[in-house]
Every structure is written in structure tokens, then in C-alpha cells.
Amino acid sequence: MSGSSVMKPGKTIALSDYEGKAVLLNLWGSWCAPCRGEADELERLDRRTEDANIRFLGVNVRDNRRSAQDFMHNLDVTYPSVYDPDGKVALALDGLPLSTVPITLVLDDEHGVAAIFLGSVTAEKVMPEIRKVV
């Protein structure tokens, strides 16, 4: 799974960049109210776990780049996101109901799926799953 960075269009971000690390993968769109609602929570959780063996990665779906960049800038989202306007990256996540956004996955350090959350998440929901993989 790889794609162009939302904030740095010339840069490619790949899941393989996080080899040996657990990953919290969040599919989001700037047009998605629940995504806006969970952005601050995910950002705090990213900072809270920055010393753990987990990294956060977003996948922006069905969006235009400017709106996605504004979302990340205005909501102070600092972890990287892949720009995926056509859903090709998201389709690599076979079996997920892509009509449901946000979707959050917790991947173990071999990038196997440890947990899937459909809809917005809170630290209380996600942290137990993060603890299992770090």
C-alpha cells in the first residue's frame, strides 16, 4: 500500500516505510463530520504513543487535495496521510466497507490486522488494541 502524501504531493508514503512498527491506519475525508470529530482525539493519541512502537498513518479518500490539506492544517493533524481520491489505496484493504468512513485499523508490527473500527473512535476504544500490538 502506497501513495502520494497529502501535504507533500511529490513524496510517496508506503506502509513498508513502517517496517517493524505497529501502525494505526485511519481512513478519512475532509467532507466527513465524524472524521473531523475524531481528528483531535487521534492527534492526541499519536502524541501520547510517540515513544511506543506504533506510528499513525492516514488515508484521505474521495476528496480533493486542497480540502484534504486544509483539513490537516486547520485541525493540526501532524501524522502523514496518503492522498487517495480514487480509492485505489483503500481498495487494497480488501473486505472493508469503504462506504463507511472513518475506518481505523490497528496493524501489528508485521502489518497484520489486529483490530478494525468502523466509525469514529476514541482513545478509550483504541488504546487497548494498541497495547496488544506494541
Side-chain angles (χ1 to χ4, degrees):
M1 188 195 87
S2 66
S4 173
S5 167
V6 167
M7 298 305 279
K8 299 176 184 175
K11 179 180 180 185
T12 298
I13 301 171
L15 187 57
S16 62
D17 296 341
Y18 303 93
E19 186 175 334
K21 302 278 186 191
V23 176
L24 183 140
L25 188 65
N26 179 255
L27 281 71
W28 62 274
S30 67
W31 43 267
C32 164
C35 299
R36 286 190 299 276
E38 75 177 1
D40 188 49
E41 184 87 4
L42 288 173
E43 185 62 28
R44 280 195 309 273
L45 190 57
D46 180 40
R47 286 192 304 271
R48 184 171 150 197
T49 60
E50 67 187 357
D51 292 331
N53 190 39
I54 188 163
R55 297 296 173 262
F56 283 45
L57 177 62
V59 178
N60 172 253
V61 296
R62 300 188 313 265
D63 219 336
N64 69 67
R65 188 179 299 272
R66 186 69 198 156
S67 295
Q69 289 172 333
D70 288 346
F71 176 98
M72 292 184 72
H73 176 75
N74 293 337
L75 296 174
D76 295 319
V77 176
T78 60
Y79 55 85
S81 281
V82 173
Y83 180 59
D84 188 28
D86 300 326
K88 292 177 185 172
V89 172
L91 284 174
L93 304 170
D94 191 34
L96 290 180
L98 298 179
S99 60
T100 302
V101 175
I103 299 173
T104 302
L105 295 92
V106 177
L107 308 178
D108 64 23
D109 60 3
E110 295 179 1
H111 299 161
V113 177
I116 299 173
F117 299 90
L118 303 178
S120 61
V121 295
T122 62
E124 291 77 29
K125 281 186 189 176
V126 176
M127 201 59 200
E129 299 303 325
I130 289 174
R131 284 188 186 106
K132 291 177 186 177
V133 299
V134 294

